[in-house]
């Protein structure tokens, strides 16, 4: 059976999991002269969903030795059938982009610049700010009625997060008593 | 969306209004093309001739902010010509219900209006009930107080001439739109309605959608393949973030967040659980107590007990409006000290950004979690601000990208799809899941010794498989979280599901929300996601399914591709797609049908398992019928035309210039909220997007390929206006409103044409709103121009219609 790359993915994809598939391509010894090596040879492929609009197009990410080398539309995806718009096509440059943040940064009051910090330091300091603000602005009762609300902290965002992250964000914010909880759906 | 992307192919007529689908959801327009190839007629109504217009068979222009007049006119056309699906209207909508004698409508106001509070007493619009508490009906639809007759009277005022005077739509084309769209009243024809932020971002956005819904119901187009009311959502998971309750008024699963009136769980249940005396009404929200109790069990685990009211009072209670505009007004007043931001960029995307940026200056601390520096996270060094004068501490936490983590996202069609981790997060970036987990653990540690009302933090159930300590190398297990959202049994329990008694053991995942209980025996993070992960192993993760076999009805449902809420139902309200015997209204693209032999439904998952006509189809409504007349809205039970807050013309229909129920922020908080008038700002302004950029630009303005494609901000204007103002294509211009001004390149096109409104010529311009001062591609933000004014029901800002002026920038020629 001739297994095209698409057919191979499709066959693998009929299971419950899309998952991760390793591709080994055509061995070099066979007709090496006639068949140019495809870019995605010897890569690990995994499926993903586009992070931009709400259409939910499928893409395939090819990685080699832990690095993304290519991202393209997933031909097996029933909505986009492999095609992508200009933003989806540019997902590779979102993944591989020297402008990405890769360190925790901190800006002190009045400072003109960022300082690099460790996660440990930042999480501890943030937790201190949260406690100070929460304890200072917490309203247990209003007009004699229980409200248990933290008026001094607001939370924004979520439409770019995964469902599981949104759920934890919702749970976390409410544990603090936050009612100023809003995100992109409102605007 | 009631339907989903692929389903667009099934339409005979597709209306795109309030959306530029080809530009902003480009791949979805593939299905519009397929529909067209099948012979469907595409109609596009928009103030500007867009990429979608170039796709359409009929393009009709109309002025920004006049959607209601435009669509009410189509409704009137349907009613006057009797182009309605009578059986559908009679059986499935509240057309025959009688309304209270207290209901009236006069000069733009419904009865019950209080001028001081700018609010209605909605009891004036209630149903008239019979002795057993059921709405009185007149099945002949002739009673003067029947919804149908009240509608005929209300919409009669929207004749074609009136509509064209208000909207500026060309009469001949408008008539063609009315004729074509209402042709789908026939049972073998169906139309879909596609809309987006062009609809919602108005002071009457909810009523815009109401007008679409009323029309779709009159034509019998809801529940059918190729039909429905379809909101095209603009972010990859804005559906899911809403499903998970990241809004002040909602808990996960669209449960109301508690208010001050809910002092106990009993109060909350009583205040939120609708009741019906009608045995034919499924009244699905009658299950409210099961969903809230299961949510509390998911939040507080073993610490949620009957003795402590399942931890109900751990939840904060609201007593005001805390929506986006209100949040920034409060921040501006200095009352909000700390702000968390997860991937949102309000310094560009918020309305009246001059004011919102100044509000950020008042913060003591900000925690911004993102994959790039955003305009918001560097607000302290924005143009015109000396960082030394800004005292806010900012923590910028590096998030990883979507391909460096695992989890699910929900698309506009409610499909919940699983994504895989392709590579490790770059540098020290982490997933938002890890960051949230670490934040909770750090805060909990801080509260270990002391603190005010610590219980909600200390008693939060939080076990995601990576221990109690923060460990940079240990991600929380996303499958643990997904299974908590799905929900399951926390004790052994026998449950009656339909007519079967089923036994569940402690630890079992729930198969569907029909298994959830109100006694604390079940836990569920978001009841509408129950069924997404009904087992313990990854093979039970329905969101990861990739089978491409279509269902028996071959209408593109792909029921085993991913999973769809609720209960994998791909087209909601589908019980309205069959007659009272369970036979499809449209046999050639049927959604569900009743099989007499098996006594079961076939096709899509039906809106409830009951046999045909055992229950009314609109199961989320307490009366089981779709609401042509909606007595629950803040600004009236029927849509009425009002002008946008800033408009160049007087309301042609009544002396109510603007929506009487909107909150007037410029009066409540005048500082930073000026309003302009047409003498100084005679041009209508609107905002829009381009395919190459995304929302507030934090991602796309940092991607070199996209930054190169659209490197700067422009304002689009028509030739006539450009000639008047001596503006040439490519000139630098200044756009100004009462709130702010911005520089932009002029893009002079034929796509904007002037509107002729009752003898007056009015121009409209549009600005792309993706730009800001940070990133690779920079430019002024269009939201410097927009205002703090919101819809009467949703508080969504009126970005899409304001007054401005446009002039050449001195020495600005390129």
């Amino acid at each position: 059976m001739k297994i095209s790359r698409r057919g191979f993915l499709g066959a693998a994809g009929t299971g419950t999991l899309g998952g991760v598939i390793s591709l080994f391509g055509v061995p070099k010894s066979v007709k090496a002269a006639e068949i140019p090596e495809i870019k995605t040879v010897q890569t690990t492929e995994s499926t993903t969903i586009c992070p931009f609009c709400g259409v939910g197009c499928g893409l395939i990410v090819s990685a080699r030795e832990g690095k993304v080398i290519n991202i393209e539309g997933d031909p097996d995806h029933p909505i986009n059938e492999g095609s992508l718009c200009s933003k989806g096509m540019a997902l590779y440059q979102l993944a591989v982009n020297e402008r990405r943040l890769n360190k925790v940064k901190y800006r002190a009051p009045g400072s003109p610049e960022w300082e690099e910090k460790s996660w440990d330091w930042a999480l501890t300091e943030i937790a201190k700010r949260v406690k100070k603000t929460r304890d200072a602005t917490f309203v247990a009762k209003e007009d004699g009625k229980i409200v248990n609300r933290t008026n001094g902290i607001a939370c924004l965002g979520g439409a770019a997060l995964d469902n599981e992250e949104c759920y934890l964000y919702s749970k976390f914010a409410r544990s603090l008593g936050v009612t100023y909880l809003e995100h992109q759906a409102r605007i | 969306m009631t339907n989903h992307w692929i389903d667009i192919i099934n339409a005979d007529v597709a209306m795109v209004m309030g959306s530029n689908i080809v530009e902003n959801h480009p791949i979805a327009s593939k299905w519009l093309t397929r529909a067209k190839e099948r012979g469907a007629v595409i109609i596009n109504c928009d103030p500007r001739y867009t990429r979608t217009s170039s796709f359409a068979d009929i393009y009709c222009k109309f002025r920004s902010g006049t959607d209601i007049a435009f669509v009410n006119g189509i409704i009137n056309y349907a009613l006057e010509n009797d182009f309605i699906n009578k059986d559908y209207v009679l059986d499935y909508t509240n057309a025959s219900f009688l309304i209270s004698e207290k209901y009236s409508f006069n000069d733009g106001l419904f009865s019950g209006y209080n001028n001081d509070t700018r609010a209605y007493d909605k009891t004036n619009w209630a149903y008239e009930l019979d002795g057993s508490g059921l709405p009185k009906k007149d099945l002949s639809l002739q009673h003067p107080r029947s919804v149908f007759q009240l509608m005929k009277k209300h919409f009669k005022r929207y004749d074609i001439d009136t509509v064209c005077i208000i909207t500026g739509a060309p009469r001949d084309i408008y008539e063609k739109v009315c004729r074509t769209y209402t042709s789908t009243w026939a049972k073998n024809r169906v139309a879909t309605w596609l809309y987006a932020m062009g609809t919602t971002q108005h002071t009457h956005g909810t009523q815009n959608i109401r007008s679409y819904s009323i029309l779709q119901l009159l034509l019998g187009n809801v529940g059918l393949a190729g039909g429905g009311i379809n909101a095209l959502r603009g972010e990859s998971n804005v559906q899911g973030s809403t499903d998970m309750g990241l809004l002040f008024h909602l808990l996960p699963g669209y449960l109301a967040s508690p208010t001050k009136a809910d002092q106990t769980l009993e109060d909350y249940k009583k205040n939120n659980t609708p009741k019906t005396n009608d045995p034919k009404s499924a009244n699905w929200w009658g299950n409210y107590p099961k969903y809230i109790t299961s949510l509390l069990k998911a939040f507080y685990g073993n610490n949620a007990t009957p003795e402590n009211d399942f931890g109900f009072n751990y939840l904060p209670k609201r007593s005001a409006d805390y929506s986006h505009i209100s949040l920034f007004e409060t921040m501006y007043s200095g009352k909000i000290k700390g702000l968390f931001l997860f991937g949102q960029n309000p310094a560009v995307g918020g309305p009246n950004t001059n004011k919102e940026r100044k509000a950020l200056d008042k913060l003591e601390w900000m925690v911004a979690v993102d994959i790039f520096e955003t305009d918001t996270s560097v607000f302290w060094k924005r143009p015109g601000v000396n960082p030394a004068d800004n005292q806010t501490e900012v923590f910028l936490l590096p998030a990883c990208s979507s391909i460096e983590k695992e989890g699910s996202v929900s698309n506009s069609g409610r499909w919940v799809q699983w994504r895989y981790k392709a590579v490790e997060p770059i540098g020290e970036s982490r997933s938002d899941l890890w960051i949230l987990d670490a934040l909770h653990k750090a805060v909990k540690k801080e509260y270990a010794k002391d603190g005010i009302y610590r219980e909600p933090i200390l008693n939060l159930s939080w076990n995601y498989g990576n221990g109690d300590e923060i460990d940079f190398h240990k991600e929380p297990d996303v499958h643990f979280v997904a299974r908590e959202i799905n929900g399951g049994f926390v004790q052994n329990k026998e449950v009656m599901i339909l007519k079967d008694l089923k036994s569940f053991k402690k630890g079992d995942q729930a198969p569907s929300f029909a298994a959830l209980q109100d006694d604390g025996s079940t836990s569920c993070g978001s009841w509408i996601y129950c069924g997404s992960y009904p087992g313990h192993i990854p093979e039970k993760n329905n969101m990861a399914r990739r089978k491409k076999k279509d269902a028996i009805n071959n209408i593109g449902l792909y029921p085993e591709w991913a999973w769809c809420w609720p209960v994998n139902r791909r087209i909601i309200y589908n019980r309205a797609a069959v007659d009272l015997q369970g036979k499809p209204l449209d046999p050639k693209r049927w959604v569900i049908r009743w099989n007499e032999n098996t006594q079961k439904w076939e096709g899509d998952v039906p809106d409830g398992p009951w046999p045909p006509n055992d229950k009314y189809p609109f199961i989320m409504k307490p009366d089981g019928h779709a609401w042509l007349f909606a007595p629950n809205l803040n600004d009236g039970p029927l849509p009425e035309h009002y002008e946008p807050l800033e408009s160049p013309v007087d309301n042609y229909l009544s002396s109510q210039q603007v929506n009487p129920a909107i909150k007037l922020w410029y009066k409540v908080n005048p500082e930073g909220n000026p309003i302009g008038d047409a003498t100084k700002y005679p041009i209508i302004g609107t905002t829009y997007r381009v395919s190459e950029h995304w929302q507030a630009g934090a991602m796309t303005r940092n991607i070199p390929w996209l930054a190169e494609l659209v490197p700067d901000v422009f304002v689009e204007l028509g030739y006539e206006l450009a000639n008047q103002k001596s503006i040439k294509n490519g000139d630098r211009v200044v756009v100004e409103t009462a709130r702010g001004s911005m520089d932009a390149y002029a893009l002079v096109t034929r796509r904007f044409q002037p509107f002729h409104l009752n003898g007056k010529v009015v121009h409209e311009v549009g600005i792309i709103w993706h730009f800001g001062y940070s990133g690779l591609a920079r430019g002024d933000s269009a939201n410097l121009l927009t205002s703090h004014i919101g819809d009467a029901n949703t508080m969504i800002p009126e970005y899409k219609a304001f007054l401005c002026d446009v002039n050449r920038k001195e020495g600005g020629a390129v």
Side-chain angles (χ1 to χ4, degrees), chain B residues 755-807:
Chain B
F755 295 103
H756 297 268
L757 310 170
N758 216 10
K760 189 174 177 179
V761 178
V762 174
H763 296 279
E764 180 162 343
V765 300
I767 308 118
I768 55 169
W769 66 269
H770 306 285
F771 281 79
Y773 45 78
S774 177
L776 267 179
R778 303 176 192 192
D780 281 352
S781 303
N783 281 319
L784 292 164
L785 308 174
T786 55
S787 67
H788 268 190
I789 192 78
D791 174 72
N793 294 285
T794 63
M795 284 77 78
I796 290 177
E798 188 162 66
Y799 292 106
K800 289 293 182 258
F802 51 86
L803 287 177
C804 67
D805 197 11
V806 185
N807 288 294

Side-chain angles (χ1 to χ4, degrees), chain B residues 460-489:
Chain B
L460 201 63
S461 169
W462 199 278
N463 302 298
Y464 304 113
N466 62 341
D468 293 334
E469 299 297 320
I470 298 169
D471 186 336
F472 181 75
H473 299 288
K474 279 189 192 160
E475 278 277 342
D477 190 331
V478 69
H479 294 266
F480 279 42
V481 185
R483 289 197 288 264
E484 177 174 317
I485 293 170
N486 178 91
F489 286 80

